[in-house]
């Protein structure tokens, strides 16, 4: 007499009678199988649960479905057009998705055992009956669903496709913020229009969305890799309704159109979570709206992933290993300063260190780091927060930005009393940070005592690997390489931007940082005490081997990562 797979499983588990009895009661109360109850009670893992369920119900298992469905010869394929015919809530509720096997036969991938009944229901929905169900991990099933709906053309389209010709205006909206843009099936045209714009921006990897009113039209622009591109043109009559919808999502006052307002929106696109910072500004033609996108699923990069050269990476590690003093990161807004500082803090995080930050705003949550956000409305400024932080026995302090003399003074005092302080300044280059602190009233002899180094940076766009075009540079272009020309091998091709659908015809895809790292050497400290200007400091640093921004950028041009025109644009050369 053959043994049941469930009996075999229970024999292997050897559970205490009271545990087995509790799981059995839960199964009976909830109307689920005993093996499901064991899985929910974390007595068995998902693989063992699926194997047992499959054996009991005669359903095969596939434990690498998401991985294999993404490969040409993986044996499984996903028909996105077919999947999109099934309502997204149905797929998510049942944790099921239609796929095709190697022979092209329709199969229902599920993570729960009611596969035969679901297969019949799906056959009615699609008009094509699945041959059989297959059991797969729930994470794999949901990954395929989110991938299909996140990349489908369902949320793409033009403004006219969404609004039609008959819509003129909507007076007010009462809906709450959309939980998942893919799942929102509202018929309200302006809700669908805003969802479409947000979905397109998230998929394109835009950092900002600009909605700008003019005399006759309203323009929607996305900032991709630091450059604004026009994406849609709206009828001016629709602008107020679009802004009102965004205000409702951000919980702003839709009746107030004379004053600037700031708010936040949390959205999700499939499995991708994103936060939006919303800023409205009244102009002569209506309210201008800018939305900053912050994807919550993005991980914090490590120092080794920032694009630092070998020598610069060594300098950064040396700065991170100092026990006290100030390290500054400089550059304009949007130059990646926060990303660099987060990478530094991640390197420093350890059980024996107390790391505290004060930021405006806290952009990403860091494990093992105490993060505080400034709030001027209640009087919590950088200076006030910093005074509190130094009483919390910190080893490392991150100040989001040194904006005024008071913050600068407290930062210097903190470094003098044995803390390692990191902060940012808005200056064009590394030597300029020193003169900026002079302007804020920091005494030269104090600054020379605490300054450990200054890192200046910019972000350059990386060439799209699919369409970059190789060419041999002429003498005039080689001259532009400047000090980096020594690294150029004669006959080596450089690359320029092309344009293809992969990069939305821009020729670039993604960004990387170029760096200028100025350690505080003894010679520089003597110049700081003498209150030398930025030019003198820069000449001294270059003489000691510092690589400036343009030099580092041109090395990346020679490496084929970016173009001459891009480095020239960013460094104003």
């Amino acid at each position: 007499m053959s043994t049941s797979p469930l009996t075999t499983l229970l024999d292997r588990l050897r559970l205490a009678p009271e545990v087995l009895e509790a799981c059995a009661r839960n199964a009976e109360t909830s109307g689920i199988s005993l093996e499901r109850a064991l899985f929910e009670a974390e007595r068995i893992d998902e693989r063992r649960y699926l194997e047992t369920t499959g054996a009991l119900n005669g359903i095969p298992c596939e434990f690498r479905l998401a991985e294999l469905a993404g490969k040409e010869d993986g044996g499984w394929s996903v028909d996105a057009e077919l999947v999109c015919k099934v309502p997204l809530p149905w797929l998510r509720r049942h944790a099921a998705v239609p796929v095709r096997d190697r022979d092209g036969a329709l199969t229902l991938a599920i993570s729960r055992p009611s596969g035969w009944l679901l297969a019949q229901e799906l056959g009615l929905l699609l008009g094509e009956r699945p041959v059989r169900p297959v059991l797969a991990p729930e994470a794999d099933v949901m990954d395929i669903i989110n991938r299909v709906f996140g990349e489908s053309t369902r949320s793409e389209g033009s403004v006219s496709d969404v609004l039609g010709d008959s819509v003129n205006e909507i007076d007010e909206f009462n809906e709450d913020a959309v939980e998942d843009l893919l799942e929102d099936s509202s018929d309200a045209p302006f809700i669908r229009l805003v969802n479409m714009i947000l979905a397109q921006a998230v998929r394109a990897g835009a950092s900002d969305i600009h909605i700008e009113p003019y005399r006759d039209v309203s323009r929607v622009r996305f900032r991709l890799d630091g450059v604004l591109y026009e994406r849609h043109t709206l009828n001016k009559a629709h602008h107020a309704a679009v802004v009102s919808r965004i205000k409702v999502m951000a919980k702003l006052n839709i009746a107030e159109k004379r004053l600037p307002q700031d708010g936040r929106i949390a959205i999700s696109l499939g499995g991708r979570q994103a936060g939006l910072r919303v800023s409205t500004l009244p102009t002569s033609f209506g309210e201008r709206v800018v939305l900053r996108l912050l994807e919550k699923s993005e991980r914090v990069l490590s120092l080794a992933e920032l694009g630092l050269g070998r020598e610069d990476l060594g300098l950064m590690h040396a700065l991170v290993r100092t026990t006290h003093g100030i390290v500054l990161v400089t550059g304009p807004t949007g130059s990646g300063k926060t990303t660099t500082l987060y990478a530094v803090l991640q390197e420093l995080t350890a059980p024996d260190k107390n790391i505290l930050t004060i930021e405006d705003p806290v952009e990403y949550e860091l494990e093992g780091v105490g993060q505080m956000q400034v709030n001027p409305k209640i009087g919590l400024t950088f200076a006030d927060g910093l005074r509190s932080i130094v009483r919390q026995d910190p080893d490392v302090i991150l100040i989001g930005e040194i904006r005024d003399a008071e913050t600068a003074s407290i930062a210097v005092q903190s470094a003098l009393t044995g803390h390692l302080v990191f902060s940012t300044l808005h200056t064009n280059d590394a030597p300029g940070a020193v003169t900026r602190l002079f302007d804020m009233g920091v005494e030269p002899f104090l600054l020379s005592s605490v300054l450990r180094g200054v890192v200046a940076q910019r972000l350059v766009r990386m060439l799209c690997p699919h369409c970059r075009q190789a060419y041999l540079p002429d003498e005039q272009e080689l001259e532009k390489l400047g000090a980096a020309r020594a690294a150029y091998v004669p006959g080596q091709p450089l690359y320029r931007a092309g344009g293809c659908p992969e990069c939305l015809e821009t020729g670039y895809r993604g960004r990387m940082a170029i760096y200028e790292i100025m350690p505080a050497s003894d010679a520089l400290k003597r110049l700081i005490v003498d209150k030398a200007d930025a030019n003198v400091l820069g000449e001294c640093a270059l003489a000691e081997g510092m690589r400036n921004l343009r030099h580092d950028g041109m090395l990346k041009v020679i490496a084929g990562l970016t173009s001459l025109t891009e480095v020239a644009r960013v460094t104003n050369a």
Side-chain angles (χ1 to χ4, degrees):
M1 183 176 177
S2 61
T3 307
S4 161
L6 182 57
T7 304
T8 303
L9 174 66
L10 294 174
D11 288 343
R12 285 180 186 169
L13 292 176
R14 296 181 180 177
L15 296 171
E18 59 271 19
V19 173
L20 183 59
E21 186 180 343
C23 288
R25 277 201 309 270
N26 180 44
E28 186 177 354
T29 305
S30 304
I32 58 177
S33 63
L34 178 57
E35 63 271 18
R36 180 73 190 181
L38 290 169
F39 170 56
E40 290 183 357
E42 298 183 355
R43 295 293 172 177
I44 57 174
D45 60 19
E46 188 175 25
R47 185 183 186 97
R48 187 170 285 183
Y49 159 64
L50 291 176
E51 286 173 341
T52 306
T53 297
L56 287 168
N57 293 276
I59 304 175
C61 298
E62 175 57 76
F63 295 102
R64 297 171 58 211
L65 183 66
E67 177 190 347
L68 296 175
K71 297 180 179 178
E72 289 185 13
D73 58 347
W76 298 97
S77 61
V78 179
D79 185 341
E81 190 174 339
L82 190 71
V83 175
C84 286
K85 289 180 180 178
V86 185
L88 180 59
W90 188 92
L91 295 172
R92 284 185 171 163
R93 184 170 67 253
H94 296 294
V97 64
V99 295
R100 294 195 183 277
D101 63 16
R102 190 181 296 278
D103 300 322
L106 186 62
T107 304
L108 180 64
I110 55 171
S111 59
R112 295 163 199 164
S114 54
W116 297 112
L117 293 174
L118 282 181
Q120 293 177 18
E121 189 176 339
L122 186 73
L124 294 174
L125 284 169
L126 297 177
E128 178 183 355
R129 184 167 179 171
V131 175
R132 60 187 170 89
V134 61
L135 285 169
E138 186 168 349
D140 279 20
V141 173
M142 299 309 291
D143 180 63
I144 292 173
I145 293 170
N146 289 334
R147 197 191 310 162
V148 169
F149 279 84
E151 295 173 358
S152 74
T153 56
R154 178 182 175 129
S155 297
E156 290 286 352
S158 66
V159 175
S160 58
D161 291 337
V162 177
L163 295 183
D165 298 323
S166 59
V167 176
N168 289 316
E169 71 179 300
I170 283 183
D171 293 329
E172 64 176 321
F173 301 104
N174 296 315
E175 293 81 354
D176 292 329
V178 177
E179 290 184 4
D180 192 320
L181 299 180
L182 299 179
E183 213 164 314
D184 183 50
S185 57
S186 171
D187 291 330
F190 289 107
I191 293 178
R192 288 191 287 116
L193 174 60
V194 170
N195 287 353
M196 180 191 78
I197 291 170
L198 296 182
Q200 287 176 346
V202 171
R203 278 200 298 270
S207 60
D208 300 87
I209 305 168
H210 291 234
I211 302 173
E212 306 161 340
Y214 296 96
R215 185 181 301 277
D216 302 314
V217 296
S218 179
R219 290 193 174 91
V220 178
R221 297 196 290 172
F222 292 173
R223 189 176 292 280
L224 302 170
D225 297 328
V227 179
L228 280 169
Y229 296 93
E230 188 168 317
R231 193 69 175 82
H232 298 291
T233 302
L234 307 179
N235 187 316
K236 184 62 182 299
H238 300 157
H239 178 81
V242 169
V243 173
S244 293
R245 172 57 189 160
I246 292 171
K247 282 184 170 182
V248 167
M249 294 175 75
K251 296 180 172 59
L252 300 178
N253 183 356
I254 63 172
E256 180 55 76
K257 300 179 180 181
R258 301 165 300 171
L259 295 172
Q261 295 186 67
D262 295 300
R264 288 177 176 271
I265 302 172
I267 62 169
S268 120
L269 183 71
R272 296 168 67 177
Q273 303 293 319
L276 300 172
R277 289 210 309 266
V278 182
S279 172
T280 70
L281 184 74
T283 69
S284 54
F285 296 116
E287 286 183 282
R288 172 186 285 252
V289 179
V290 174
L291 302 98
R292 165 63 59 90
L293 277 75
L294 298 168
E295 267 205 78
K296 296 178 181 177
S297 54
E298 285 186 0
R299 65 182 181 86
V300 177
L301 299 177
S302 67
L303 277 179
E305 296 173 303
L306 292 178
L308 290 157
R310 187 183 304 171
E311 292 177 13
D312 286 345
L313 184 59
L315 288 172
M316 284 293 286
H317 278 133
L319 291 175
V320 170
R321 284 194 294 267
T322 56
T323 56
H324 62 278
I326 290 181
V327 177
L328 297 170
V329 180
T330 76
T333 301
S335 59
K337 300 188 296 295
T338 301
T339 300
T340 298
L341 286 174
Y342 278 7
V344 166
L345 292 189
Q346 192 168 248
E347 193 98 353
L348 286 167
T349 302
D352 62 342
K353 279 192 171 64
N354 181 22
I355 303 175
L356 297 175
T357 77
I358 178 164
E359 307 170 59
D360 183 20
V362 173
E363 294 191 10
Y364 298 103
E365 294 176 3
L366 297 172
E367 188 72 29
V369 177
Q371 296 172 270
M372 178 167 63
Q373 183 162 313
V374 301
N375 189 347
K377 292 180 181 177
I378 59 171
L380 180 56
T381 63
F382 275 114
D384 294 324
L386 195 49
R387 284 195 195 91
S388 301
I389 280 177
V390 295
R391 292 194 289 268
Q392 289 280 315
D393 185 32
D395 298 296
V396 181
I397 300 171
L398 167 64
I399 308 166
E401 184 185 345
I402 295 178
R403 293 179 178 173
D404 52 46
E406 191 176 11
T407 307
S409 175
I410 301 171
V412 169
Q413 292 300 322
S414 300
L416 283 169
T417 53
H419 302 98
L420 180 56
V421 179
F422 293 93
S423 190
T424 70
L425 281 173
H426 287 123
T427 62
N428 291 327
D429 55 17
V434 174
T435 54
R436 177 63 56 84
L437 290 174
F438 289 162
D439 294 339
M440 289 183 180
V442 177
E443 292 293 341
F445 71 93
L446 290 178
L447 184 56
S448 69
S449 300
V450 299
L451 187 65
R452 297 293 174 263
V454 184
V455 179
Q457 66 180 82
R458 298 285 190 282
L459 292 179
V460 295
R461 293 179 294 169
M462 298 173 67
L463 289 166
C464 174
H466 300 280
C467 63
R468 65 176 187 170
Q469 300 170 354
Y471 71 97
L472 286 176
D474 56 28
E475 185 60 31
Q476 188 177 1
E477 288 173 313
L478 289 175
E479 286 291 329
K480 294 178 182 177
L481 295 177
R485 185 168 179 174
Y488 176 75
V489 178
Q492 176 184 347
L494 300 184
Y495 294 86
R496 61 167 66 97
C500 68
E502 291 287 334
C503 59
L504 301 179
E505 305 300 332
T506 64
Y508 297 93
R509 192 174 183 185
R511 287 189 291 176
M512 69 187 307
I514 56 175
Y515 288 93
E516 175 178 294
I517 302 180
M518 186 181 79
S521 65
D522 290 339
L524 272 170
K525 287 180 179 179
R526 285 193 294 270
L527 290 173
I528 290 171
V529 170
D530 294 337
K531 208 170 181 179
D533 65 24
N535 291 331
V536 175
L537 293 170
E539 288 170 6
C540 177
L542 289 170
E544 292 183 336
M546 181 184 80
R547 215 162 44 204
N548 63 20
L549 289 166
R550 189 166 186 270
H551 189 168
D552 191 41
M554 290 305 175
L555 288 177
K556 289 176 169 67
V557 170
I558 293 171
L561 300 173
T562 188
S563 66
L564 280 170
T565 54
E566 177 65 7
V567 172
R569 179 185 71 85
V570 170
T571 59
N572 297 318

